[in-house]
């Protein structure tokens, strides 16, 4: 038997036919049209699911469940895509499960994308065998998900674990959410890029300038790591500041939840250990309350497939 997992992004939809072990059999993807309506979106998800069966030469009745990972607030109980800041349509409470069932009657599970990543790492990735597990995704913002007692934790009304908006600095940097001092303004990939650009303005001789072709607009998350590898002092200062901000949120997570493992995902997490994970582990250990029980901090292992695999396996944890 198989499961279908669909990873919904603002620009791309990726669907995969997945075995219970988490192994992906095949994948299809399609871009999100700029004028896509909620109804077209629902139909597109069904079309992709059918396509997966055709490509994999699998009868549709061999598909046990469909899981959909969505960028926004999701209500799995009621089958709703509640709220989204990232899709072309802005409708609230899109009845996604009902839409799917109009065309294909198969159990449908909905999850937030960061939660799906947590499910994937817990079931088939770097956090296998650990509990509780916290997933931290470093991207434009910081996404979070937690599995505890073998179940996905989503709070009482579906927006628990919005860890990117934990406030780590009173009256700090303004955040997209309207608040100030949110963790993602210090620890996300975007924050790292901004720190790099600021440091470049201060240090005109830094090798960071060469690394981005003398165009600060071309700075990427990897740029300061490349600079630090070359021994550039400005790049080292950027990383030191960034790691301090990133570690504060991690320390809070460890002190409040004491997860057995925290998985770091997103592009930034692919940096080499001596520049990211090693110093981060040291800062978190120094800053956390209980120094005897180490929460492991590891790289997520499913990479780009985390969304598809996690969505496909949602039925095990919700
Ligand atoms: Zn915020």
């Amino acid at each position: 038997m198989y499961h279908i997992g669909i990873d919904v992004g603002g620009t791309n939809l990726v669907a995969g036919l997945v075995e219970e072990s988490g192994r992906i059999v095949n994948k299809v993807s399609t871009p999100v049209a700029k004028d896509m309506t909620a109804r077209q979106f629902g139909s597109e998800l069904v079309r992709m699911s059918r396509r997966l069966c055709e490509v994999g030469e699998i009868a549709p009745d061999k598909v046990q469940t469909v899981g959909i990972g969505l960028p926004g607030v999701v209500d799995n109980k009621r089958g709703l895509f509640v709220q989204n800041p990232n899709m072309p349509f802005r409708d609230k409470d899109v009845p996604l499960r009902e839409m799917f069932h109009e065309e294909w009657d198969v159990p449908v599970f909905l999850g937030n994308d960061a939660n799906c990543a947590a499910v994937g790492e817990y079931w088939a990735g770097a956090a296998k065998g650990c509990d509780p597990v916290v997933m931290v995704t470093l991207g434009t913002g910081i996404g979070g998900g937690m599995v505890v007692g073998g179940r996905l934790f989503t709070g009482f009304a579906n927006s628990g674990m919005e860890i990117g908006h934990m406030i780590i600095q009173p009256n700090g940097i303004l955040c997209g959410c309207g608040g100030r001092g949110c963790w993602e303004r210090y620890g996300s990939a975007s924050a790292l890029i901004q720190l790099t650009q600021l440091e470049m303005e201060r240090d005109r001789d830094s090798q960071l300038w060469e690394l981005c072709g003398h165009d600060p607009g071309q700075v990427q998350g990897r740029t300061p790591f490349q600079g630090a590898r070359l021994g550039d002092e400005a790049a080292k200062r950027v990383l030191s500041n960034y790691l301090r901000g990133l570690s504060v949120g991690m320390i809070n997570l460890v002190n409040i939840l004491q997860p057995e493992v925290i998985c770091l995902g997103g592009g930034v997490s692919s940096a080499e250990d001596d520049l990211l994970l090693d110093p981060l582990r040291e800062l978190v250990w120094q800053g956390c309350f209980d120094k005897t029980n180490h929460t492991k901090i590891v790289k997520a292992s499913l990479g780009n497939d985390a969304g598809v695999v996690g969505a496909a396996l949602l039925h095990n944890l919700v």
Side-chain angles (χ1 to χ4, degrees):
M1 295 300 270
Y2 298 91
H3 302 274
I4 286 175
I6 309 178
D7 183 10
V8 174
T11 52
N12 228 9
L13 310 174
V14 185
L17 192 65
V18 177
E19 293 174 347
E20 189 65 36
S21 64
R23 195 182 79 86
I24 296 179
V25 180
N26 63 43
K27 279 197 284 191
V28 297
S29 72
T30 186
V32 173
K34 283 198 177 61
D35 55 353
M36 187 182 255
T37 64
R39 183 145 289 281
Q40 285 167 342
F41 171 65
S43 299
E44 184 58 40
L45 298 185
V46 178
R47 197 194 63 79
M48 290 177 87
S49 301
R50 292 200 192 285
R51 178 111 190 84
L52 278 175
C53 293
E54 283 164 31
V55 173
E57 294 181 351
I58 281 163
D61 64 1
K62 290 275 185 295
V63 174
Q64 251 177 338
T65 66
V66 174
I68 307 170
L70 298 150
V73 181
V74 168
D75 183 343
N76 179 59
K77 274 202 197 98
R78 295 194 295 153
L80 305 176
F81 187 8
V82 177
Q83 195 188 334
N84 86 79
N86 300 310
M87 302 301 292
F89 52 90
R90 283 286 184 269
D91 314 42
K92 290 205 155 80
D93 292 338
V94 175
L96 212 47
R97 183 181 291 136
E98 198 183 294
M99 284 175 168
F100 207 98
H101 283 167
E102 280 171 20
E103 300 182 54
W104 185 356
D105 193 20
V106 57
V108 171
F109 295 84
L110 308 181
N112 159 278
D113 49 6
N115 287 336
C116 287
V119 169
E121 294 296 336
Y122 169 79
W123 199 262
K128 217 171 161 175
C130 298
D131 197 329
V133 171
V134 169
M135 175 80 206
V136 175
T137 308
L138 308 174
T140 315
I142 297 183
M146 174 164 66
V147 175
V148 55
R151 285 278 170 269
L152 193 56
F153 175 87
T154 55
F156 88 97
N158 308 302
S159 53
M161 290 305 284
E162 285 293 344
I163 57 176
H165 302 285
M166 96 166 79
I167 295 168
I168 64 163
Q169 175 80 57
N171 297 313
I173 305 172
L174 188 64
C175 177
C177 73
R180 283 190 176 273
C182 294
W183 186 29
E184 65 180 39
R185 301 301 294 113
Y186 301 83
S188 64
S190 328
L192 176 58
I193 289 168
Q194 277 164 8
L195 282 170
T196 308
Q197 291 163 333
L198 277 174
E199 191 60 39
M200 285 168 63
E201 291 304 324
R202 283 193 206 111
D203 187 344
R204 289 288 179 176
D205 302 324
S206 162
Q207 294 177 80
L208 290 166
W209 284 97
E210 266 159 65
L211 287 169
C212 66
H214 296 273
D215 175 4
Q218 297 299 314
V219 170
Q220 294 180 311
R222 73 170 79 97
T223 310
F225 293 103
Q226 291 168 328
R229 185 56 75 220
L230 296 171
D232 184 67
E233 292 302 323
K236 288 187 200 168
R237 283 195 296 275
V238 170
L239 289 186
S240 155
N241 275 334
Y242 173 70
L243 284 165
R244 227 171 27 228
L246 182 59
S247 70
V248 173
M250 304 275 288
I251 290 164
N252 291 340
L253 289 170
V254 170
N255 286 346
I256 297 169
L257 303 167
Q258 198 184 43
E260 188 173 352
V261 61
I262 298 179
C263 284
L264 274 191
V268 170
S269 69
S270 60
E272 288 164 284
D273 283 4
D274 64 319
L275 294 179
L276 180 77
L277 275 190
D278 295 344
L280 184 63
R281 286 174 180 136
E282 179 64 25
L283 286 166
V284 172
W285 182 78
Q286 279 172 7
C288 72
F289 173 73
D290 182 349
K291 301 213 170 9
T292 57
N293 291 296
H294 289 210
T295 292
K296 283 175 281 189
I297 301 174
V298 302
K299 271 179 206 169
S301 67
L302 299 177
N304 287 335
D305 288 333
V308 166
V309 173
L313 298 173
L314 260 179
H315 64 98
N316 289 308
L317 279 84
V318 296

